[in-house]
């Protein structure tokens, strides 16, 4: 009932659902419905690229997964990234999933009820991933709570939990049930270090064990994103987690704006990097299709980009020192989760306004094949970059600028 009422509230006067693009779920959906097939094919080639010289193939999923998507109203899409056949290595195909979702109850509901409702929603989507044979699954940033970090109100800290707390225990059972690695981004409470809070991704192994965790490296201080009120920059470096299905890393949200952050995960050997996020259209949507895809190309790995959906309204209006009137919401979280590959191809986006599960088969051999093709690692000049950064960190640093001597010469 709560979900149905929400959808009705979010309809605009012309009947379009809030967050849709002129009534369409995504840009890809809009183009498909309005372009002639041959034009749509060419536009898709330009927007999505080609994987090994061919358009991405769709993947047929189980009837049970499709039934869950239909019954619980979430977008379900699946694609396949291929690699060239090699003579000395077998294909290394792994099935990876991304989940985007809205919150369920209003932010005025009791916190325990809010969390329980999210758990119930997420379980249905994870069940669809599990019955589809997903090997590695990543959830969105702070999936177990509303994204309250705009408000600067400390009561939302109650959602924080230890790395082995309630949310992790909930997912451990599902990871074991489906033989699935799950990346769970939470608001962590470090009880061993003075109850410090962190924005953390917990990596749960396919046997239900905790492999490790990574804390968000870069904390935004832009617009309504006042996250340093709650947690500061992470202290876990750039770890890569070797799982049963491949080497994965997590570049949490705002870290996607920092190219060296992406680079460090690549230098540590990541084959798939997840970017669980919470970002709104007015702030970042033009950047969303570019940054992760560029990272996949530059670092020769796959990237899974996840963004939550919906508009979350909070009880007390807030401002952010940017001159805008007080308001009670961030704006619309535009979903649009997608995968990028090292060969510059990418999947279409999930819905801009609907919960969703995006699945992709990916042959990890493609990572090394693109390293061999482009030689980015071989042609990089790390010694020059290291020298430059070392100089930049010194208090007496002076930029290497060579001025035209005639710029400052007086004319007579």
């Amino acid at each position: 009932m709560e979900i149905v009422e929400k959808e009705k509230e979010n309809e605009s006067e012309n009947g379009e659902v809030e967050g849709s693009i002129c009534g369409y779920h995504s840009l890809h959906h809009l183009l498909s419905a309005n372009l002639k097939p041959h034009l749509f094919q060419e536009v898709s080639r330009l927007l999505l690229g080609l994987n090994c010289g061919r358009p991405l193939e769709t993947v047929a999923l189980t009837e049970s997964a499709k039934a869950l998507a239909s019954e619980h109203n979430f977008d379900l899409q699946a694609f396949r990234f291929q690699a060239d056949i090699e003579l000395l290595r077998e294909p290394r195909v792994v099935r990876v999933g991304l989940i985007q979702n809205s919150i369920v109850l209003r932010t005025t509901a009791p916190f325990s009820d809010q969390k329980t409702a999210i758990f119930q929603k997420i379980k249905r989507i994870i069940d669809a991933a599990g019955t589809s044979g997903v090997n590695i699954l990543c959830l969105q940033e702070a999936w177990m709570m509303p994204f309250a970090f705009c408000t600067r109100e400390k009561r939302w800290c109650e959602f924080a939990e230890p790395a082995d707390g309630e949310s992790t225990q909930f997912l451990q059972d599902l990871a074991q049930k489906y033989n699935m690695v799950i990346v769970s981004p939470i608001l962590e409470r470090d009880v061993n270090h003075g109850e410090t809070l962190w924005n953390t991704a917990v990596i749960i192994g396919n046997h239900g064990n905790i492999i490790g965790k990574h804390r968000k490296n870069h904390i935004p201080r832009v617009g309504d994103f006042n996250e340093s009120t709650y947690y500061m920059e992470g202290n876990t470096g750039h770890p890569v987690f070797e799982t049963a299905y491949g080497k994965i890393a997590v570049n949490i949200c705002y870290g996607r704006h920092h190219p060296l952050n992406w680079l460090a995960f690549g230098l540590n050997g990541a084959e798939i990097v997840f970017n669980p996020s919470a970002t709104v259209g007015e702030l970042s949507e033009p950047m969303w299709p570019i940054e992760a895809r560029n990272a996949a190309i530059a670092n020769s790995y796959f990237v899974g980009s996840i963004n939550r959906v919906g508009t979350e309204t909070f009880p007390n209006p807030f401002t952010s020192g940017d001159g805008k009137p007080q308001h009670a919401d961030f704006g619309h979280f535009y979903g649009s989760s997608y995968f990028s590959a090292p060969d510059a191809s990418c999947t279409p986006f999930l819905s801009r306004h609907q919960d969703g599960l995006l699945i992709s088969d990916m042959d990890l051999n493609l990572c090394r094949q693109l390293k061999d093709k482009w030689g980015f690692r071989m042609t990089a000049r790390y010694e020059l970059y290291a020298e430059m950064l070392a100089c930049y960190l010194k208090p007496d640093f002076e930029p290497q600028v060579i001025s035209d001597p005639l710029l400052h010469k007086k004319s007579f």
Side-chain angles (χ1 to χ4, degrees):
M1 179 63 67
E2 176 75 27
I3 296 175
V4 172
E5 289 175 354
K6 250 184 168 180
E7 287 182 351
K8 289 181 178 177
E9 287 175 4
N10 290 341
E11 285 187 3
S12 60
E13 293 180 0
N14 59 10
E16 294 178 4
V17 176
E18 179 193 14
S20 66
I21 305 175
C22 302
Y24 295 96
H25 292 305
S26 66
L27 175 62
H28 197 75
H29 187 202
L30 183 154
L31 294 172
S32 175
N34 289 279
L35 292 178
K36 293 180 179 179
H38 70 285
L39 293 176
F40 175 67
Q41 181 178 2
E42 184 64 7
V43 169
S44 293
R45 181 185 69 81
L46 294 171
L47 290 178
L48 304 179
L50 298 176
N51 169 234
C52 294
R54 302 180 294 275
L56 277 187
E57 297 179 3
T58 57
V59 174
L61 297 176
T62 62
E63 291 301 320
S64 59
K66 290 187 283 187
L68 283 167
S70 177
E71 179 182 356
H72 300 291
N73 192 35
F74 60 85
D75 189 10
L76 177 64
Q77 300 184 44
F79 300 90
R80 176 181 293 110
F81 292 103
Q82 301 189 66
D84 292 333
I85 300 297
E86 299 187 17
L87 298 179
L88 299 179
R89 287 196 305 174
E90 294 295 322
R92 298 177 58 224
V93 178
V94 59
R95 180 162 288 191
V96 185
L98 311 175
I99 292 178
Q100 65 177 41
N101 62 278
S102 61
I103 59 174
V104 182
L105 302 181
R106 300 179 188 276
T107 58
T108 51
F111 287 179
S112 59
D113 292 350
Q114 291 187 53
K115 182 179 279 191
T116 297
I118 293 172
F119 280 17
Q120 291 172 347
K121 171 186 274 197
I122 287 295
K123 183 181 182 303
R124 299 173 190 132
I125 306 178
I126 294 178
D127 285 340
T131 60
S132 300
V134 167
N135 303 126
I136 307 173
L137 181 68
C138 187
L139 280 59
Q140 67 196 23
E141 183 183 21
W143 68 272
M144 25 64 79
M145 62 180 292
F147 205 77
F149 309 128
C150 52
T151 67
R152 299 193 295 279
E153 295 177 356
K154 291 296 187 176
R155 65 197 190 98
W156 304 102
C157 295
E158 290 188 46
F159 277 100
E161 57 186 68
D164 59 354
E166 181 184 11
S167 297
T168 298
Q169 293 168 22
F170 165 72
L171 294 176
Q172 283 178 296
D173 292 338
L174 293 167
Q176 189 169 23
K177 176 180 179 179
Y178 292 116
N179 194 31
M180 179 192 296
V181 172
I182 300 180
V183 179
S184 173
I186 64 169
L187 181 61
E188 179 198 0
R189 182 178 295 278
D190 186 353
V191 296
N192 291 333
H193 293 89
E195 305 279 344
T196 305
L197 301 188
W198 304 94
N199 187 319
T200 300
V202 180
I203 315 301
I204 302 170
N206 57 307
H207 298 294
N209 57 306
I210 297 176
I211 298 176
K213 63 186 177 184
H214 173 57
R215 292 166 173 162
K216 186 173 181 176
N217 279 331
H218 299 278
I219 308 302
R221 297 164 181 85
V222 54
D224 287 334
F225 289 81
N226 299 297
E227 297 176 36
S228 57
T229 303
Y230 298 89
Y231 42 78
M232 298 300 285
E233 285 75 11
N235 58 1
T236 53
H238 297 86
V240 169
F241 303 93
E242 186 171 13
T243 74
Y245 305 112
K247 295 179 180 179
I248 66 174
V250 192
N251 185 4
I252 303 173
C253 197
Y254 192 69
R256 72 181 177 277
H257 305 307
H258 296 268
L260 292 181
N261 211 42
W262 291 109
L263 172 65
F265 291 118
L267 294 180
N268 279 329
E271 297 171 310
I272 307 168
V273 178
F274 296 101
N275 178 228
S277 300
T279 185
V280 294
E282 181 181 355
L283 181 68
S284 66
E285 197 161 13
M287 305 156 73
W288 182 251
I290 300 169
E291 290 172 305
R293 192 174 180 184
N294 183 67
I297 297 167
N299 296 288
S300 303
Y301 51 47
F302 290 92
V303 176
S305 304
I306 314 103
N307 186 27
R308 66 172 57 205
V309 287
T311 301
E312 302 175 4
T313 303
F314 295 93
N316 302 315
F318 51 87
T319 62
S320 294
D322 54 7
K324 295 181 180 179
Q326 66 175 5
H327 44 287
D329 66 78
F330 255 129
H332 179 73
F333 294 104
Y334 53 83
S336 305
S337 303
Y338 70 108
F339 283 109
S340 307
D343 66 354
S345 61
C346 67
T347 67
F349 293 172
L350 283 179
S351 171
R352 199 177 180 278
H353 65 87
Q354 189 180 17
D355 296 341
L357 169 63
L358 179 62
I359 295 173
S360 175
D361 288 346
M362 49 185 68
D363 188 340
L364 299 182
N365 282 352
L366 188 64
C367 298
R368 194 171 81 177
Q369 290 175 10
L370 266 294
K371 288 177 182 176
D372 289 348
K373 177 178 180 177
W374 285 101
F376 291 150
R377 287 285 179 268
M378 180 173 61
T379 56
R381 298 297 304 277
Y382 298 117
E383 74 283 1
L384 292 182
Y385 314 148
E387 181 182 356
M388 170 63 182
L389 290 171
C391 291
Y392 180 75
L393 290 173
K394 295 177 180 178
D396 60 350
F397 169 75
E398 292 186 9
Q400 184 182 7
V401 178
I402 301 174
S403 297
D404 182 345
L406 299 182
L407 286 177
H408 307 292
K409 185 175 182 180
K410 294 181 179 180
S411 58
F412 297 96

